[in-house]
Amino acid sequence: MPNPGRGRIAASKRRVPVSQPGMADPHQFFDDTSSAPSRGYGAQPSSGGLGYPSPSSPPEAAFLADPMSNMAMAYGSSLAAQGKELVDKNIDRFIPVTKLKYYFAVDTVYVGKKLGLLVFPYLHQDWEVQYQQDTPVAPRFDINAPDLYIPAMAFITYILVAGLALGTQDRFSPDLLGLQASSALAWLTLEVVAILLSLYLVTVNTDLTTIDLVAFLGYKYVGMIGGVLMGLLFGKIGYYLVLGWCCVSIFVFMIRTLRLKILAQAAAEGVPVRGARNQLRMYLTMAVAAAQPLLMYWLTFHLVR
């Protein structure tokens, strides 16, 4: 005998339609609207001659299709390119980034050899800077070329060693350490300005640039570090012995380096060796070299007790 309840159950099961392609899953609580246009409330009407864009075309395509938009984008790109070029030109004008890259083109071998040359300049014979097509080669290929890596690292190390020395004497303070750093920078700036002014007054035509002067004058921090460290380890005797050796070394180094930059240019110009102007250039070279030991002692003697 047929069971009517069973028939109703079968009929209710048949009422659930099979999912057709493009239809939502019957077991899904919400419609997936991430990839398809929304079919619910607020959906835009399809293109039916009312002037609305087709839902299949994104808004960006309609924006780019406008000639005025293309013109505005092209004008904006042109302004951005001009602004970048102006910024790069002004930065290179006030901060010569290309030249600074040359002075930092060093490697470990160069740094080791250069430090040895600063401490033992007596054994070095060839002090000529090498050139390639009227351009000096990078410092890592020529030990005689000036660099800014050693002076910069030596200055930072000098400040750290000064802080260590002040700390061992119970005199450390941030203000005193800042005064030490600003004093060293002030003396370096004063040296550069005085040398440039002297070269102008003596009318020396040389390829010695301001960055070259900063590099050469910054090499004295290497000897200052050695003197302070030896003073911390062995007292004033070690300080005076090591600093004295480094002072003589930097004096010889500066004489042999600057004479090629100042005196050799005078010889190329045909200036007599015993001429008055050439004598002034020689005195200037010796004065710059003699100022290095004095500043080395002035900036370090109070750190060793």
Side-chain angles (χ1 to χ4, degrees), residues 118-119 121-122 219-220 222-227 240-253 292-293 296:
L118 293 173
V119 180
Y122 319 102
Y219 287 138
K220 63 176 172 285
V222 176
M224 294 164 57
I225 295 170
Y240 284 114
L241 288 177
V242 175
L243 187 69
W245 177 274
C246 293
C247 286
V248 176
S249 300
I250 198 66
F251 178 82
V252 175
F253 174 83
Q292 305 310 303
M296 290 172 66

Side-chain angles (χ1 to χ4, degrees), residues 1-8:
M1 183 175 178
N3 190 354
R6 184 176 179 181
R8 286 194 299 268

Side-chain angles (χ1 to χ4, degrees), residues 161-198:
V161 172
L164 177 62
L166 294 174
T168 56
Q169 301 169 13
D170 295 331
R171 297 190 297 132
F172 177 82
S173 68
D175 295 336
L176 190 57
L177 189 62
L179 180 63
Q180 191 75 22
S182 59
S183 177
L185 284 177
W187 278 108
L188 180 62
T189 305
L190 183 61
E191 281 185 280
V192 173
V193 173
I195 295 174
L196 291 177
L197 181 61
S198 301

Side-chain angles (χ1 to χ4, degrees), residues 184-236:
L185 284 177
W187 278 108
L188 180 62
T189 305
L190 183 61
E191 281 185 280
V192 173
V193 173
I195 295 174
L196 291 177
L197 181 61
S198 301
L199 292 174
Y200 174 76
L201 294 177
V202 183
T203 63
V204 176
N205 295 325
T206 177
D207 58 351
L208 192 65
T209 63
T210 305
I211 304 179
D212 291 338
L213 288 176
V214 173
F216 290 136
L217 298 175
Y219 287 138
K220 63 176 172 285
Y221 295 116
V222 176
M224 294 164 57
I225 295 170
V228 175
L229 288 178
M230 291 299 104
L232 294 177
L233 295 177
F234 304 104
K236 286 191 174 181

Side-chain angles (χ1 to χ4, degrees), residues 72-88:
M73 291 184 63
Y75 184 69
S77 301
S78 177
L79 285 180
Q82 293 179 3
K84 182 178 181 301
E85 182 180 357
L86 183 62
V87 170
D88 294 341

Side-chain angles (χ1 to χ4, degrees), residues 36-304:
S38 175
R39 297 185 180 165
Y41 177 77
Q44 296 292 338
S46 59
S47 143
L50 297 178
Y52 292 99
S54 175
S56 60
S57 61
E60 292 81 359
F63 177 78
L64 294 177
D66 189 0
M68 294 298 296
S69 302
N70 293 334
M71 185 181 300
M73 291 184 63
Y75 184 69
S77 301
S78 177
L79 285 180
Q82 293 179 3
K84 182 178 181 301
E85 182 180 357
L86 183 62
V87 170
D88 294 341
K89 185 182 297 183
N90 289 332
I91 288 179
D92 192 68
R93 177 182 177 185
F94 296 102
I95 303 176
V97 179
T98 305
K99 293 182 179 180
L100 289 179
K101 289 180 180 179
Y102 164 81
Y103 288 95
F104 283 94
V106 300
D107 55 9
T108 306
V109 177
Y110 167 83
V111 172
K113 290 183 178 180
K114 193 72 172 199
L115 292 177
L117 179 62
L118 293 173
V119 180
F120 302 100
Y122 319 102
L123 305 178
H124 193 61
Q125 300 296 330
D126 185 15
W127 293 84
E128 292 285 347
V129 177
Q130 300 179 13
Y131 283 81
Q132 183 178 8
Q133 297 180 355
D134 298 334
T135 303
V137 299
R140 64 174 177 269
F141 301 118
D142 184 13
I143 192 176
N144 297 322
D147 72 283
L148 287 178
Y149 177 80
I150 292 178
M153 294 298 104
F155 177 80
I156 296 174
T157 307
Y158 160 70
I159 300 301
L160 296 177
V161 172
L164 177 62
L166 294 174
T168 56
Q169 301 169 13
D170 295 331
R171 297 190 297 132
F172 177 82
S173 68
D175 295 336
L176 190 57
L177 189 62
L179 180 63
Q180 191 75 22
S182 59
S183 177
L185 284 177
W187 278 108
L188 180 62
T189 305
L190 183 61
E191 281 185 280
V192 173
V193 173
I195 295 174
L196 291 177
L197 181 61
S198 301
L199 292 174
Y200 174 76
L201 294 177
V202 183
T203 63
V204 176
N205 295 325
T206 177
D207 58 351
L208 192 65
T209 63
T210 305
I211 304 179
D212 291 338
L213 288 176
V214 173
F216 290 136
L217 298 175
Y219 287 138
K220 63 176 172 285
Y221 295 116
V222 176
M224 294 164 57
I225 295 170
V228 175
L229 288 178
M230 291 299 104
L232 294 177
L233 295 177
F234 304 104
K236 286 191 174 181
I237 296 178
Y239 165 74
Y240 284 114
L241 288 177
V242 175
L243 187 69
W245 177 274
C246 293
C247 286
V248 176
S249 300
I250 198 66
F251 178 82
V252 175
F253 174 83
M254 295 296 289
I255 286 288
R256 295 185 176 180
T257 302
L258 293 180
R259 68 182 178 88
L260 296 177
K261 295 288 187 179
I262 299 177
L263 299 179
Q265 186 69 23
E269 294 174 357
V271 179
V273 178
R274 296 185 179 181
R277 185 175 297 179
N278 201 18
Q279 293 293 328
L280 290 176
R281 300 182 184 191
M282 186 180 302
Y283 293 151
L284 176 61
T285 303
M286 296 186 64
V288 174
Q292 305 310 303
L294 297 177
L295 289 174
M296 290 172 66
Y297 176 75
W298 176 258
L299 293 173
T300 56
F301 79 96
H302 60 281
L303 299 175
V304 179

